[in-house]
Amino acid sequence: MKRFLGILLILIGAGILGFYAYLQWFPVLHIRSMNLVPQDAIYIIEITQPISGWKQIQKSELWAQLRNHTYFADINQKANFVDSLLKNNQLMTETFANQPLIISAHMTETKNYDFLCIWSMHDIATRLGSLKKTLLSLSDYKVTERNYKNQILYELTHPQEKSALYLCFFEDILLVSYTPKLVYKAIEAAQKPELADNSRFIKIQSLIKGNEYFTIYFNFNQFNAFLSIYMNDLGSLKDMHKWVDFAGFQLLLDAKMLDFKGYILPKDSSISILTGMLTSGAGKRPSQKIIPDRTAWFTSLGFEDFLQFYEEFESQMKKNPQTYAEHQQNLEKIEKLLKINIKKDFVSWISEEVNLVATKPADTSFSQPELLVYIHANNIDNAKEKINFILKQIKKRTKVIKNTAYDYKGFEIHHFQVRGLFKLLFGKLFQKFDMPYVTFIEDFVIFSLDELALQSAIDDYLEKRILQNHESFQNFSDRFKAQSSIYSYLNMNNLYPLLPNYVSTLTWQSIQKNEPYIRLFEQIGFQMTAETDKFYTKIEVN
């Protein structure tokens, strides 16, 4: 991030100086900037007006707090330098403020990545020759040249810095990076723009319309390597690249919030919850009225018709005969063993929401999150009857000798000893929920691998320690649609002590050093709503 902002400000500052140095006019070929982005980009930030965009960042309350951190101090200093250049010269501002800039992130090593900056000079292309001369005459920098595919790459090194900055003037485009091979890849991409010509990427670009300064695109094919930098175990995220092609968002910087609005494109050929949810409508989030205020995060799946989702999910599996055969084999194994019908005895009573919830442990001596699944029932009496029937079949058809049910403060807790059912119904997101415990609260059936977690959830419910009772959560939740296909929520205050369970040791050490600034992001919401073959997506960071 620091390098990215640093490069951005260096480019703007050097460009402004170059304006006064142009001496001659050169006809050049206009090239679409996106054509130079290598296909292995992790994410791409497109800035239509870098100077105006930077001023918008400076006005936000979030930046006012972040700039006090030593990590951003150098960036703020460079920003003040650019401001001083612009302060008394409206002509320079008007000339350089409208030159679009693209920054793309790429893996450079197994555990490292770097940025490539692509600065379009379309509007001032005739001055590019003199701009080049000015950039390469910057004081205190040693300039050396190398050639790659008939393009000159300039290496700028400063005597007090170990790293070098690499520049290439490719027709009317300025390429900049601290990693030379990224500049090489951009030159190669210009000859064969695989990303820019990708039909799915073209589609996501066409969907992202608006007048904001910042547009961000994500390439999920590259996400596993990127996430592995920060996480030891990707869990179900490791299959994300099989489910999604691209996502794109426009970023609005509110006074206190980051607001992303855009779309996510599921892969046409994928077999996942996402493709099943495209046709199952949207649901509300009634679980918010009973989930604990200790919640660190939750992911709520919403349905207009859960049975339709389940049938569509099965239909998607038929695209892969082997996957479908395994699914049917596992289904028949459970049904034959217990003499039950999954659709009739389990699927039939599920209503509009299935919510996977992670809470901070009620017992502070524990550091692992408590995981629970809240399933909304269309008729809780019918759901209890079906669950009790399955429990009787478990006892009758397996080696379970005694009934493990017991009463806890008026709520029955049972051991639901069915292996593989949740993965069968909901995919890998729920694959760890083997042989859970189960209880009932209001019109919800609640499962957890830890019976103590169910007891804690009952305690919170009885004592009205509920997330929905907090005004800050209510106000934040009201910024999203009442119905959606997927809604994820993160509460940093509750999540922070659990982060060592999700990130690598090095990442946790870095997080600890920056705790006050991490905690600035108190709530994060992520909502997806199905629209035919895509998901309209909104992300809020408060």
Side-chain angles (χ1 to χ4, degrees):
M1 177 62 76
K2 186 174 180 180
R3 275 189 168 186
F4 147 53
L5 292 172
I7 291 175
L8 170 60
L9 292 167
I10 288 171
L11 288 173
I12 294 172
I16 292 167
L17 291 171
F19 173 76
Y20 280 108
Y22 80 90
L23 300 172
Q24 51 190 327
W25 299 72
F26 295 94
V28 295
L29 175 68
H30 287 332
I31 295 179
R32 182 169 172 261
S33 299
M34 199 62 78
N35 285 8
L36 276 73
V37 178
Q39 66 171 338
D40 63 355
I42 306 162
Y43 58 86
I44 303 163
I45 303 172
E46 191 171 25
I47 310 172
T48 55
Q49 299 180 44
I51 292 176
S52 298
W54 178 249
K55 286 184 176 180
Q56 188 184 57
I57 291 174
Q58 288 178 305
K59 290 178 182 177
S60 70
E61 291 185 24
L62 182 61
W63 176 253
Q65 297 179 70
L66 286 175
R67 70 184 179 187
N68 295 322
H69 191 286
T70 53
Y71 183 81
F72 294 97
D74 186 47
I75 301 302
N76 202 51
Q77 185 178 3
K78 288 185 173 71
N80 291 334
F81 167 71
V82 173
D83 285 341
S84 68
L85 293 175
L86 294 171
K87 191 172 183 180
N88 297 313
N89 200 307
Q90 185 65 26
L91 179 60
M92 289 201 311
T93 301
E94 292 175 355
T95 302
F96 283 92
N98 294 317
Q99 306 311 313
L101 176 66
I102 290 176
I103 300 104
S104 55
H106 306 261
M107 297 298 298
T108 54
E109 300 173 18
T110 303
K111 292 287 185 178
N112 198 15
Y113 68 99
D114 203 355
F115 298 98
L116 169 69
C117 292
I118 304 171
W119 196 20
S120 170
M121 301 288 179
H122 293 174
D123 296 340
I124 56 170
T126 52
R127 309 164 193 166
L128 196 55
S130 298
L131 173 60
K132 182 196 303 185
K133 188 181 298 183
T134 301
L135 281 170
L136 299 179
S137 64
L138 291 173
S139 60
D140 299 329
Y141 280 87
K142 178 185 176 182
V143 181
T144 56
E145 298 180 10
R146 63 177 76 174
N147 188 285
Y148 185 75
K149 293 187 180 295
N150 299 320
Q151 298 293 325
I152 298 175
L153 189 71
Y154 299 95
E155 180 180 335
L156 278 66
T157 55
H158 194 280
Q160 297 179 355
E161 297 180 6
K162 294 181 180 180
S163 59
L165 190 66
Y166 298 88
L167 284 73
C168 178
F169 297 87
F170 191 91
E171 300 297 345
D172 61 345
I173 302 287
L174 174 60
L175 303 171
V176 182
S177 181
Y178 282 102
T179 302
K181 72 176 183 180
L182 295 184
V183 180
Y184 297 160
K185 286 184 176 182
I187 294 170
E188 294 168 0
Q191 308 303 319
K192 189 179 180 182
E194 294 185 31
L195 179 65
D197 288 348
N198 184 304
S199 61
R200 301 290 285 171
F201 185 68
I202 291 171
K203 180 170 182 176
I204 198 68
Q205 284 184 290
S206 70
L207 292 170
I208 309 305
K209 299 175 182 177
N211 300 313
E212 305 303 333
Y213 296 127
F214 302 94
T215 302
I216 304 175
Y217 301 101
F218 294 96
N219 179 3
F220 285 88
N221 292 311
Q222 305 299 324
F223 252 50
N224 278 12
F226 178 65
L227 292 177
S228 294
I229 297 175
Y230 306 102
M231 302 173 67
N232 289 327
D233 181 11
L234 299 185
S236 59
L237 292 176
K238 69 182 178 183
D239 290 324
M240 189 65 72
H241 70 285
K242 299 178 182 178
W243 306 342
V244 180
D245 276 322
F246 298 99
F249 304 93
Q250 283 223 313
L251 169 61
L252 172 64
L253 292 169
D254 203 344
K256 296 182 179 180
M257 285 195 177
L258 299 177
D259 186 356
F260 300 81
K261 294 179 180 178
Y263 286 89
I264 289 178
L265 286 183
K267 286 184 182 290
D268 290 333
S269 58
S270 69
I271 302 171
S272 68
I273 285 179
L274 288 184
T275 50
M277 297 190 75
L278 283 172
T279 59
S280 59
K284 295 180 181 179
R285 300 182 291 279
S287 66
Q288 291 179 185
K289 65 184 180 182
I290 63 170
I291 60 177
D293 60 6
R294 296 178 290 109
T295 295
W297 60 263
F298 68 73
T299 296
S300 171
L301 309 181
F303 313 91
E304 182 180 349
D305 186 336
F306 182 81
L307 179 59
Q308 182 179 342
F309 157 76
Y310 178 71
E311 291 175 344
E312 176 62 25
F313 191 27
E314 283 194 315
S315 177
Q316 292 289 335
M317 289 184 190
K318 293 178 181 178
K319 295 178 181 177
N320 186 320
Q322 182 178 348
T323 300
Y324 183 68
E326 289 175 359
H327 172 79
Q328 288 298 109
Q329 184 179 359
N330 292 331
L331 180 68
E332 291 170 5
K333 181 179 178 181
I334 293 174
E335 292 187 331
K336 185 177 180 180
L337 174 65
L338 300 178
K339 296 294 182 182
I340 62 173
N341 183 295
I342 295 296
K343 275 189 182 180
K344 178 183 175 183
D345 298 319
F346 201 94
V347 173
S348 66
W349 54 261
I350 299 178
S351 184
E352 63 181 332
E353 184 189 22
V354 176
N355 193 359
L356 176 60
V357 179
T359 66
K360 185 172 64 175
D363 185 340
T364 56
S365 65
F366 293 105
S367 59
Q368 294 285 333
E370 295 178 349
L371 293 176
L372 307 99
V373 176
Y374 287 70
I375 301 182
H376 189 233
N378 48 35
N379 183 312
I380 192 62
D381 292 329
N382 181 52
K384 288 180 179 179
E385 182 183 327
K386 296 296 185 182
I387 292 292
N388 284 323
F389 171 70
I390 296 175
L391 290 169
K392 288 178 182 178
Q393 293 301 102
I394 292 171
K395 184 179 179 181
K396 191 185 299 182
R397 305 289 299 180
T398 67
K399 295 180 180 180
V400 175
I401 299 173
K402 63 178 181 177
N403 188 351
T404 56
Y406 64 94
D407 180 271
Y408 181 78
K409 297 183 179 180
F411 296 83
E412 274 199 355
I413 295 178
H414 304 265
H415 197 186
F416 195 76
Q417 300 177 61
V418 181
R419 192 178 299 277
L421 179 60
F422 280 86
K423 182 180 178 182
L424 190 71
L425 295 176
F426 306 110
K428 292 185 178 180
L429 181 63
F430 294 84
Q431 63 183 346
K432 293 183 179 180
F433 274 83
D434 259 351
M435 303 179 68
Y437 293 86
V438 60
T439 193
F440 309 91
I441 297 179
E442 293 191 6
D443 47 358
F444 278 86
V445 182
I446 307 170
F447 295 88
S448 179
L449 294 177
D450 183 359
E451 59 185 306
L452 294 179
L454 289 181
Q455 293 176 13
S456 297
I458 291 169
D459 290 339
D460 289 328
Y461 172 74
L462 292 174
E463 296 297 327
K464 301 188 185 305
R465 295 190 295 263
I466 304 304
L467 192 60
Q468 188 167 274
N469 290 343
H470 290 258
E471 185 178 358
S472 60
F473 172 77
Q474 279 282 27
N475 291 338
F476 185 76
S477 185
D478 287 345
R479 294 179 66 92
F480 294 86
K481 294 178 181 179
Q483 292 185 309
S484 57
S485 303
I486 299 174
Y487 178 77
S488 291
Y489 170 79
L490 183 153
N491 183 295
M492 185 56 70
N493 186 51
N494 292 332
L495 177 64
Y496 187 85
L498 303 178
L499 285 175
N501 296 290
Y502 299 105
V503 301
S504 65
T505 302
L506 285 176
T507 302
W508 174 236
Q509 291 172 353
S510 176
I511 288 172
Q512 286 179 296
K513 292 177 183 177
N514 299 285
E515 180 178 350
Y517 302 93
I518 299 295
R519 287 185 180 273
L520 287 175
F521 305 99
E522 296 176 0
Q523 300 181 96
I524 299 174
F526 177 95
Q527 185 175 60
M528 297 168 59
T529 306
E531 292 185 3
T532 313
D533 61 346
K534 58 190 177 295
F535 289 94
Y536 172 75
T537 305
K538 174 183 171 71
I539 304 171
E540 291 254 3
V541 181
N542 182 11

